[in-house]
């Protein structure tokens, strides 16, 4: 029996790619097992920060040392890091039989079979940033039966100066709307209750097409699919989030969830400009007002980078002020990490790491307090959650999410998984709520 395991790093797009790859391998007669037992381990990798890459490299090294490589297990490295490091991975890890960039996903399953049969080592690099060898089937084999992702656009053309994504994921390319809708229909028929549409900048959907499709139209058409309980999307670019999308969200309730991620990245206009973000703090504020005016109680999360080259103390203070002003539900904060080949990596005034981490710590403390205050406002309210799994922490507890995307931990039972439940919120912590079923 040919056995495989998937080890997934990074973003939701990687989870989607891994779900489709699993579906394809199973259809070809492979069986999924644990990385300890598998004959082939596929690593779906991330390059967004140096730390993400180091994690993968040390895991590959450890894995190869523990299990040897002459007779397997064989390893395949897929995704952003595969694209960035290419041949170097083949050189460093003799157990690697295939390295494939994110735009070669469709060739991975046949590629590993060929590599294992012939003993050759295969390298599929995305030399053409517009080329695409995609997988065509929906992600039918998923760990979570009730929730699924659908990528609606590949790549990114924004070239924010800190970001490696346009270099490793290639040019922006919207998928065919009919294919997206068909994939959603198949997933709903399979029992999926919640779909999340994915792209590096979903708001640009359709801008590379000339047939009138836009993200707001896609949202409306997906939300109208019979049987879909919830629709979410990630992620948005503040410069492109249009009033039409906000209107589609407001009119599409309750299927379109009142929550979104709107990465601000910095609270300083000077830094935003150096990041090539294309908006100012005031234009960002107008978008937030538009959202909060149209969708009361909308949950907004954000991303923020600390220690971008040349970030002065006053720029950092402006980021802290932005957190106070916008009061995000949650912030994915990150210490700036220079990525080879990006504009910011060669900028002067790179900050010392200790200073970056001091700022990060201060920012996280402030946000923790804000998140806690927001969570506590839920206490006593009744929320509808989709019960989607066992809680990773907390004995015997299950978890689900509110429409605003807050995690709720509660006592429940296996038969209720995949159902929408009414829950009274009993307490709020900075990262989750605790509740009881009504
Ligand atoms: N497309 C999204 C946007 O425009 O905000 C972001 C996608 S990126 C995959 C996810 C997050 O990683 C970013 O929002 C940013 O905060 C963080 N990130 C990207 N490059 C980074 C870097 N070089 N150092 C630290 N964080 C980084
Ligand atoms: Fe990276 Fe900017 Fe594209 Fe987001 S929009 S993926 S941060 S280049």
């Amino acid at each position: 029996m040919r056995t495989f395991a998937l080890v997934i790093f990074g973003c939701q797009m990687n989870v989607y790619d891994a779900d489709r790859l699993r579906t394809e391998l199973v259809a070809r007669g492979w069986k999924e097992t644990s990385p300890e037992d598998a004959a082939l381990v596929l690593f779906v990798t991330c390059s967004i920060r140096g730390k993400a890459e180091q994690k993968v490299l040390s895991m590959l090294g450890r894995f190869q040392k523990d299990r040897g490589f002459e007779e397997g297990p064989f390893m395949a490295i897929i995704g952003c890091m595969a694209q960035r490091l290419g041949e170097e991975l083949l050189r460093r890890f003799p157990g690697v039989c295939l390295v494939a960039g994110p735009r070669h996903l469709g060739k991975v399953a046949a590629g590993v079979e060929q590599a294992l049969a012939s003993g050759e080592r295969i390298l599929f690099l995305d030399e053409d940033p517009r080329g695409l060898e995609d997988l065509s089937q929906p992600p039918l084999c998923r760990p979570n039966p009730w929730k699924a992702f659908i990528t609606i656009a590949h790549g990114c053309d924004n070239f924010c100066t800190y970001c490696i994504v346009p270099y490793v994921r290639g040019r922006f390319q919207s998928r065919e709307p009919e294919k997206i809708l068909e994939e959603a229909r198949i997933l709903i028929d399979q029992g999926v209750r919640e779909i999340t549409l994915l792209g590096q900048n979903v708001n640009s959907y359709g801008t590379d097409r000339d047939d009138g499709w836009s993200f707001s139209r896609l949202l409306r058409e997906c939300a109208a699919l019979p049987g879909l309980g919830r629709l979410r999307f990630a992620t948005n670019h503040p410069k492109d989030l249009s009033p039409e999308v906000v209107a589609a969200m407001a009119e599409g309730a309750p299927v379109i969830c009142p929550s979104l991620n709107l990465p601000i990245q910095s609270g300083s206009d000077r830094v935003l400009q150096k990041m090539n973000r294309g908006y100012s703090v005031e234009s960002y504020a107008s978008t937030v007002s538009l959202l909060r005016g149209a969708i009361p109680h909308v949950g907004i999360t954000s991303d923020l980078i600390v220690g971008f080259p040349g970030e002065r103390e006053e720029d950092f203070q402006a980021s802290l002020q932005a957190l106070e002003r916008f009061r995000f539900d949650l912030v994915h904060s990150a210490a700036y990490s220079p990525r080879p080949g990006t504009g910011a990596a060669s900028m002067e005034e790179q900050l010392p790491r200790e200073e970056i981490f001091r700022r990060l710590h201060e920012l996280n403390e402030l946000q923790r307090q804000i998140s806690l205050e927001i969570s506590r406002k839920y206490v006593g309210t009744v929320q509808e959650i989709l019960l989607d799994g066992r809680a990773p922490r907390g004995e015997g507890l299950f978890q689900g999410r509110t429409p605003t995307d807050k995690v709720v931990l509660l006592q429940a039972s296996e038969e209720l998984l995949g159902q929408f439940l009414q829950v009274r919120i009993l307490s709020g912590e900075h990262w989750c709520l605790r509740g009881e079923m009504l």
Side-chain angles (χ1 to χ4, degrees):
M1 187 73 187
R2 299 184 298 179
T3 55
F4 75 97
L6 279 158
V7 181
I8 309 162
F9 297 87
C11 65
Q12 296 169 325
M13 277 188 162
N14 277 2
V15 174
Y16 174 72
D17 286 348
D19 286 346
R20 285 186 304 156
L21 194 52
R22 178 186 300 108
T23 309
E24 163 89 351
L25 287 165
V26 169
R28 297 170 86 99
W30 289 75
K31 186 170 180 294
E32 189 173 20
T33 180
S34 69
E36 289 71 35
D37 297 325
L40 170 72
V41 183
L42 302 112
F43 294 86
V44 187
T45 60
C46 171
S47 277
I48 200 76
R49 287 185 279 275
K51 212 165 109 191
E53 290 196 346
Q54 278 147 23
K55 236 161 83 181
V56 177
L57 291 173
S58 69
M59 187 160 180
L60 288 171
R62 215 171 340 113
F63 200 77
Q64 191 161 272
K65 188 161 161 273
D66 291 350
R67 292 204 55 194
F69 57 85
E70 303 220 316
E71 290 167 16
F74 293 98
M75 301 189 277
I77 308 177
I78 302 156
C80 295
M81 203 174 144
Q83 175 62 21
R84 201 180 81 72
L85 298 177
E87 214 161 350
E88 185 185 328
L89 293 169
L90 291 180
R91 266 201 311 276
R92 281 179 68 172
F93 302 101
V96 171
C97 64
L98 176 138
V99 172
R103 296 177 89 101
H104 270 88
L105 199 68
K107 292 179 85 173
V108 169
V112 288
E113 287 171 3
Q114 185 188 331
L116 296 188
S118 66
E120 59 184 311
R121 304 178 79 203
I122 295 179
L123 188 63
F124 290 139
L125 289 189
D126 306 342
E127 264 134 28
D128 172 4
R130 290 183 193 279
L132 186 62
E133 298 277 355
D134 206 8
L135 276 170
S136 56
Q137 68 272 68
L140 292 175
C141 300
R142 299 176 314 279
N144 189 319
W146 308 285
K147 288 164 76 162
F149 296 119
I150 302 182
T151 289
I152 62 166
H154 302 279
C156 181
D157 287 351
N158 285 319
F159 289 96
C160 301
T161 53
Y162 51 81
C163 186
I164 193 98
V165 167
Y167 303 92
V168 287
R169 285 201 171 257
R171 294 288 68 73
F172 181 79
Q173 212 168 346
S174 303
R175 283 181 68 199
E176 297 285 324
E178 294 76 21
K179 291 208 171 125
I180 297 169
L181 289 165
E182 183 54 18
E183 193 164 318
R185 277 189 213 100
I186 293 170
L187 291 168
I188 295 166
D189 285 348
Q190 199 208 18
V192 167
R193 316 297 304 273
E194 176 180 309
I195 288 178
T196 303
L197 304 177
L198 299 179
Q200 290 302 336
N201 176 1
V202 288
N203 313 119
S204 296
Y205 181 81
T207 52
D208 55 337
R209 303 176 61 85
D210 50 15
D211 54 4
W213 277 85
S214 61
F215 183 55
S216 56
R217 180 172 167 196
L218 186 68
L219 259 186
R220 285 179 193 273
E221 300 224 2
C222 285
L225 293 172
L228 183 62
R230 284 182 174 179
L231 181 63
R232 301 186 186 275
F233 50 93
T235 189
N236 302 279
H237 197 303
K239 77 177 166 53
D240 296 322
L241 182 70
S242 65
E244 290 76 32
V245 170
V246 178
M249 283 179 77
E251 288 158 29
V255 175
I256 305 181
C257 291
S259 91
L260 85 178
N261 175 246
L262 195 62
I264 187 168
Q265 309 299 4
S266 169
S268 153
D269 284 344
R270 202 180 68 85
V271 173
L272 286 173
Q273 208 164 22
K274 287 178 76 177
M275 288 177 162
N276 190 32
R277 287 292 285 175
Y279 55 85
S280 63
V281 176
E282 282 318 309
S283 63
Y284 183 93
S286 308
T287 307
V288 170
S289 302
L290 185 70
L291 274 163
R292 289 191 167 144
I295 311 161
H297 311 303
V298 63
I300 305 180
T301 63
S302 198
D303 298 6
L304 201 147
I305 296 176
V306 171
F308 185 81
E311 182 189 80
R312 299 176 189 146
E313 182 58 31
E314 67 253 35
D315 299 314
F316 171 61
Q317 291 299 326
S319 287
L320 296 178
Q321 280 158 20
L323 297 194
E324 305 258 24
R325 177 175 182 185
F326 298 119
R327 296 189 66 79
F328 300 116
D329 288 68
L330 183 107
V331 171
H332 308 281
S333 59
Y336 168 71
S337 166
R339 306 312 295 129
T342 60
S346 53
M347 284 179 187
E348 286 170 9
E349 297 183 83
Q350 301 281 332
L351 268 64
R353 296 312 284 170
E354 315 80 72
E355 178 57 16
I356 295 181
F357 284 105
R358 185 196 65 76
R359 292 181 188 183
L360 184 65
H361 181 72
E362 190 176 338
L363 184 118
N364 285 344
E365 281 304 304
L366 172 62
Q367 182 55 41
R368 204 181 147 89
Q369 194 53 38
I370 294 170
S371 294
L372 181 64
E373 285 163 16
I374 295 174
S375 287
R376 287 194 174 147
K377 289 204 170 141
Y378 279 76
V379 175
T381 65
V382 172
Q383 301 286 325
E384 184 178 71
I385 63 159
L386 171 60
L387 196 75
D388 60 33
R390 287 188 171 274
R393 287 179 265 173
E395 285 103 74
L397 288 181
F398 285 75
Q399 69 177 29
R401 283 181 185 256
T402 65
T404 52
D405 214 21
K406 289 247 169 276
V407 174
V408 182
L409 303 183
L410 73 166
Q411 299 283 351
S413 57
E414 208 75 33
E415 330 68 85
L416 294 172
L417 283 169
Q419 294 195 23
F420 289 102
L421 305 175
Q422 298 296 317
V423 170
R424 187 190 315 284
I425 304 304
L426 302 174
S427 65
E429 294 169 30
H430 71 279
W431 71 277
C432 74
L433 307 172
R434 288 176 193 268
E436 64 179 5
M437 237 188 310
L438 289 182

